[in-house]
């Protein structure tokens, strides 16, 4: 049995903490007085510092300590939160990520510069002499805790916890030994002590809980308020086996009896129940490496293919064999659906990354930008999410640089000072549509066309539709920027978008209104692994049409086929739908069947009919990638293995609909 690398586990947890810190800082930027966000950022910094020190990331722990100290002052009211402080800590978060990925001395000068900026930001607040906050009211707490028997063997020092409690205020510490074995069986490395601490502090209960943040899951802890009583301050008596304490350190001793409302210490019999509860909480989620999900998806795909072969063989077997085949088909279908759900992640995990990007772009360009996200709960295959990150970065940067105007330009044109970029996602007929929309100046079609002609991308005076003109922005090397900047001008970003979306078997729609803004929609399949398909025959070959794109099936007789020669349209409920004869497109060289079928497919509002010889039925399609020799064949998006071992090609409905539209346009011109 292999065990996970503890350093890699720490890096994974650190990445989550850094993401929480970034989200908290960006939220705090909109409301600098939000105490909950300040506390949340502080706790995340505190956890990251402690975990880093535990796993040997000393540089990370030392650097994070400075940011934690600043936020500790902010939450105590000693320093007011400002945009500059939050911005520097946001920059510090990026440096922490580097220290997690590659801890080395070469990063020390960069860290020192960031800390100097942080110190200046704090001093600027102090020099402004903000109003001194009122001293928080002190409260009395009784803290009872005991650690697991193997705590010291695992590196936990209870004396450090006691010191942290003393730092919060004045305390009286009492030690107890509820179970102490005889000397002949006593293990010196075992811990048998429990502690009761009476603490008076101005800090909230959450600050006391933070002391035990690294050991809370394995220990027994009870924190209860003490009723108001008379207290006297006395020098603390050192606890048994405790380190020496300075004589001047004073702690609290309570003269009044302990109120009945204070919970009694947890009895030994309650420990198993508490352990079971913790175990149940831990079992609610399990961290699984992504590559294991990919391997499991491959196995499920092979199972689906094997089940398809079994169903074909069982068709010629007895009733019992067919019954077993049906059971396996049902189970494999349920396993497939469960596996697909495991691979799906909300698109909000992708959208969350762009809050920081927009924040940085606003500071870099001097523009006021508002980011709006919609449909964050829409779920997409994790592989699709990973591959969409870079294209969306290019599109958002392009919207900010080319689309949004400066605050002065927007006010002059009667718009709000803040430009808006909207990221939205929704599902529609087996695909997810991700839209990037801005309310900027829009795309200048004449300028795009002139640039394309001067670059030789199109011939002068070439007849292009509006969508074809807008699609020119995705050509390699195309850019309308007047100068090269850090954001754009080299003509490589939009080309990357086009290549990535094509590789995902998706499509891009562009719309724009001059002076009002632009909208770019990415239509992506929900998954890249297994789909429900409609198996059809054209000539001697079999093909799969994604079932999510199929609207309906019609019969096309030989007489109707002959009558439609030259116009390729069918009348469908008072509307004309263009259709493509796949037999002609694939050049099968065979005669059509007497009764052909028309499969009407759609992508959004556009529809086209596909003429096939036979509709075989539905098919669970395991998508296999095409070879590199066929990567430029736009008609097919992949292949699948049928039950008899033969290969069927999967039709790319987006390109087929585009071909149908082109055919319709040519017919109109000819007419």
């Amino acid at each position: 049995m292999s065990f996970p690398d503890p350093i890699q586990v720490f890096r994974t947890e650190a990445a989550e903490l850094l993401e929480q810190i970034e989200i908290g800082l960006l939220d705090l930027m909109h409301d600098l007085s939000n105490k909950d966000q300040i506390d949340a950022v502080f706790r995340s910094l505190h956890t990251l510092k402690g975990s880093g020190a535990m796993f040997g990331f000393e540089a990370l722990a030392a650097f994070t300590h400075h940011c934690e100290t600043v936020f500790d002052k902010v939450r105590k009211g000693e320093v007011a939160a400002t945009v500059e402080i939050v911005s520097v800590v946001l920059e510090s978060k990026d440096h922490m990520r580097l220290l997690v990925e590659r801890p080395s001395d070469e990063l020390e000068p960069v860290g020192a510069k960031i800390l100097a900026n942080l110190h200046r930001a704090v001093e600027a607040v102090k020099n402004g002499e903000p109003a001194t906050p009122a001293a928080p009211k002190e409260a009395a707490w009784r803290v009872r805790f005991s650690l697991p028997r193997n705590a010291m063997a695992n590196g936990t020092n209870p004396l450090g916890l006691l010191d942290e409690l003393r730092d919060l205020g004045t305390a009286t510490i009492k030690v107890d030994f509820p179970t102490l074995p005889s000397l002949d069986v006593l293990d010196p490395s075992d811990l048998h002590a429990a502690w009761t601490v009476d603490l008076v502090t101005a800090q909230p209960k959450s600050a006391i809980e933070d002391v035990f943040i690294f050991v809370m899951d394995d220990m027994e802890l009870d924190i209860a308020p003490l009723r108001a009583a008379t207290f006297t301050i006395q020098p603390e008596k050192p606890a048994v086996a405790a380190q020496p304490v300075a004589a001047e350190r004073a702690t609290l001793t309570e003269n009044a009896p302990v109120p009945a409302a204070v919970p009694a210490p947890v009895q030994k019999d309650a420990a198993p129940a508490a352990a079971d509860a913790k175990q149940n909480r831990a079992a609610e989620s399990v961290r699984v490496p992504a590559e294991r999900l990919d391997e499991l998806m491959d196995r499920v795909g092979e199972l689906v293919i094997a089940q398809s072969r079994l169903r074909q063989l069982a068709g010629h077997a007895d009733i019992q064999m067919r019954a077993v085949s049906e059971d396996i088909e049902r189970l494999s279908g349920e396993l497939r659906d469960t596996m697909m759900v495991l691979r799906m992640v909300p698109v909000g995990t992708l959208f969350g990354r762009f809050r920081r990007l927009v924040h940085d772009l606003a500071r870099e360009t001097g523009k006021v930008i508002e980011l709006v996200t919609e449909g964050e709960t829409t779920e997409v295959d994790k592989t699709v999410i990973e591959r969409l990150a870079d294209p969306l970065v290019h599109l958002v940067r392009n919207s900010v640089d080319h689309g949004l105007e400066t605050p002065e330009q927007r006010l002059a044109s009667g718009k709000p000072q803040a430009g808006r970029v909207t990221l939205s996602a929704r599902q529609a007929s087996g695909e997810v549509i991700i839209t990037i929309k801005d309310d900027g100046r829009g795309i200048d079609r004449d300028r795009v066309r002139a640039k394309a002609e001067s670059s030789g991308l199109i011939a002068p005076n070439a007849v292009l539709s509006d969508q074809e003109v807008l699609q020119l922005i995705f050509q390699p090397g195309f850019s309308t920027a007047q100068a090269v900047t850090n954001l754009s001008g080299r003509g490589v970003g939009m080309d990357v978008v086009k290549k990535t979306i094509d590789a995902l078997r998706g499509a891009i729609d562009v719309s724009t209104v001059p002076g009002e803004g632009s909208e770019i929609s990415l239509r992506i399949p929900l998954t890249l692994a297994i789909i429900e398909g409609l198996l059809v025959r054209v000539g001697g070959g079999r093909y799969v049409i994604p079932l999510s794109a199929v609207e309906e099936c019609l019969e096309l007789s030989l007489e109707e086929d002959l009558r439609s020669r030259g116009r390729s349209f069918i009348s469908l409920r008072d509307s004309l739908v263009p259709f493509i004869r796949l037999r002609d497109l694939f050049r099968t060289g065979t005669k059509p069947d007497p009764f052909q079928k028309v499969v009407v497919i759609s992508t959004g509002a556009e529809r086209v009919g596909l003429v096939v010889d036979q509709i075989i039925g539905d098919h669970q399609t395991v998508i296999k990638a095409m070879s590199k020799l066929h990567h430029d064949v736009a008609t097919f998006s992949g292949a699948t293995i049928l039950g008899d071992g033969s290969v069927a090609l999967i039709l790319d409905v987006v390109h087929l609909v585009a071909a149908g539209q082109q055919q319709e346009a040519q017919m109109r011109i000819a007419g």
Side-chain angles (χ1 to χ4, degrees), residues 477-497:
F478 185 89
S479 176
T480 58
Q482 300 291 345
V484 176
T485 67
N486 290 335
L487 295 185
S488 60
R490 301 187 184 276
V492 294
M494 303 302 276
D495 178 31
V496 170
V497 174

Side-chain angles (χ1 to χ4, degrees), residues 540-608:
R542 286 175 289 182
Y543 304 88
V544 175
I545 304 173
L547 197 59
S548 59
V550 176
E551 283 198 352
E552 56 185 302
C553 299
L554 309 172
E555 187 173 287
L556 182 69
S557 66
L558 182 59
E559 293 77 9
E560 291 175 326
D561 185 23
L562 292 174
R563 273 200 308 270
S564 65
R565 289 288 176 177
R567 62 187 185 95
S568 298
F569 281 96
I570 57 173
S571 178
L572 185 62
R573 288 184 290 278
D574 300 328
S575 65
L576 292 177
V577 177
F579 65 82
I580 301 172
R581 294 177 174 85
L582 295 183
R583 187 179 59 258
D584 296 340
L585 181 64
F586 299 156
R587 300 175 184 176
T588 62
T590 59
K591 293 182 179 181
D593 281 17
F595 297 95
Q596 301 175 83
K597 305 297 186 297
V598 180
V599 181
V600 181
I601 61 175
S602 70
T603 55
E606 307 297 337
R607 296 187 298 173
V608 67

Side-chain angles (χ1 to χ4, degrees), residues 23-344:
I23 293 173
L25 291 171
L26 291 172
D27 288 340
L28 188 59
M29 194 74 75
H30 297 289
D31 183 8
L32 294 172
S33 62
N34 191 324
K35 191 174 185 306
D36 291 338
Q37 290 295 344
I38 293 173
D39 290 340
V41 172
F42 172 79
R43 285 194 295 270
S44 297
L45 290 169
H46 180 75
T47 305
L48 182 63
K49 180 192 76 171
S51 299
M54 184 182 302
F55 285 93
F57 288 76
E58 299 296 340
L60 171 67
F63 181 84
T64 308
H65 173 72
H66 294 281
C67 299
E68 178 199 17
T69 301
V70 170
F71 258 82
D72 188 32
K73 293 180 179 179
V74 171
R75 71 171 188 155
K76 290 178 179 178
E78 298 175 9
V79 175
T82 64
V83 172
E84 188 60 30
I85 288 178
V86 176
S87 298
V88 177
V89 177
L90 201 55
E91 182 183 1
S92 301
K93 192 246 15 166
D94 296 334
H95 186 68
M96 295 173 198
R97 188 181 300 278
L98 290 176
L99 291 173
V100 171
E101 294 172 354
R102 49 185 183 92
S104 61
D105 295 337
E106 65 183 30
L107 297 174
E108 187 173 344
V110 179
K113 182 178 179 181
I114 295 174
L115 292 179
N117 293 336
L118 183 61
H119 177 72
R120 281 194 292 270
V122 173
E123 289 300 315
V125 177
K126 290 183 177 180
N127 293 336
E129 296 181 357
T132 303
K137 187 177 179 180
E138 290 187 337
W141 302 87
R142 172 155 290 173
V143 183
R144 306 173 190 268
F145 71 94
S146 61
L147 298 169
R149 181 171 297 183
N150 60 349
M152 292 194 296
N154 290 336
T156 301
N157 184 358
L159 300 181
L161 301 176
L162 296 174
D163 284 339
E164 289 193 49
L165 289 174
R166 292 188 186 99
D167 291 339
L168 295 177
T170 54
T172 293
I173 300 174
K174 299 178 182 178
V175 65
D176 185 27
F177 295 95
T179 57
L180 190 62
S182 58
L183 287 176
D184 56 338
V185 296
L186 178 65
D187 187 342
S189 64
D190 285 350
L191 181 63
H192 300 279
W195 287 269
T196 299
V197 181
D198 291 341
L199 176 66
V200 171
T201 178
Q203 300 297 327
K205 182 180 179 181
S206 60
I208 304 175
E209 294 172 342
D210 286 346
V211 171
F212 305 96
I213 193 169
F214 299 116
V215 293
M216 189 172 289
D217 291 339
D218 300 321
M219 68 179 298
E220 295 178 15
L221 174 66
D222 176 67
I223 304 174
L226 287 174
R227 186 176 299 172
T230 304
F231 300 98
T232 58
I233 302 298
Q234 297 180 354
E236 178 188 0
K237 296 181 180 179
V240 176
Q243 295 175 345
V245 180
E248 63 270 19
R249 178 181 292 173
T251 56
L252 171 71
T253 301
E254 183 183 4
N255 292 334
V258 177
V262 177
V266 179
Q267 299 298 320
K268 185 176 180 180
D269 295 341
D276 290 342
K278 292 171 184 173
Q279 185 175 0
N280 291 336
R281 287 197 301 271
E284 289 177 358
S285 62
V286 179
R287 192 190 305 276
V288 179
E291 56 268 19
R292 294 189 182 178
L293 286 180
D294 294 335
E295 292 175 3
L296 184 57
M297 188 74 249
D298 291 340
R299 301 297 180 272
V300 172
E302 297 298 328
L303 176 62
V304 169
I305 294 174
Q307 179 274 323
S308 179
R309 295 181 60 188
L310 177 61
R311 181 176 60 177
Q312 187 172 0
L313 294 173
H316 307 286
D318 56 21
I319 296 178
Q320 291 183 346
M321 183 67 175
R322 287 199 296 270
V324 172
S325 174
E326 291 173 357
D327 287 341
I328 294 179
E329 182 175 1
R330 174 181 57 82
L331 293 173
S332 64
E334 292 175 354
L335 179 60
R336 178 206 62 187
D337 294 340
T338 302
M339 188 63 232
M340 298 300 295
V341 171
L342 287 178
R343 290 172 58 93
M344 304 295 274

Side-chain angles (χ1 to χ4, degrees), residues 427-447:
Q427 288 185 8
S429 63
E431 61 183 9
V432 62
I433 302 175
I434 297 180
T435 303
I436 302 91
K437 182 179 180 181
D438 65 72
D439 63 349
R441 58 174 63 93
I443 300 175
D444 189 336
R445 294 175 176 82
D446 295 335
R447 189 175 175 186

Side-chain angles (χ1 to χ4, degrees), residues 403-417:
L404 298 183
E405 310 94 333
T406 62
E408 296 78 16
Q409 292 171 337
R410 293 183 63 86
L411 292 175
S413 60
K415 294 183 178 181
Q417 182 182 23

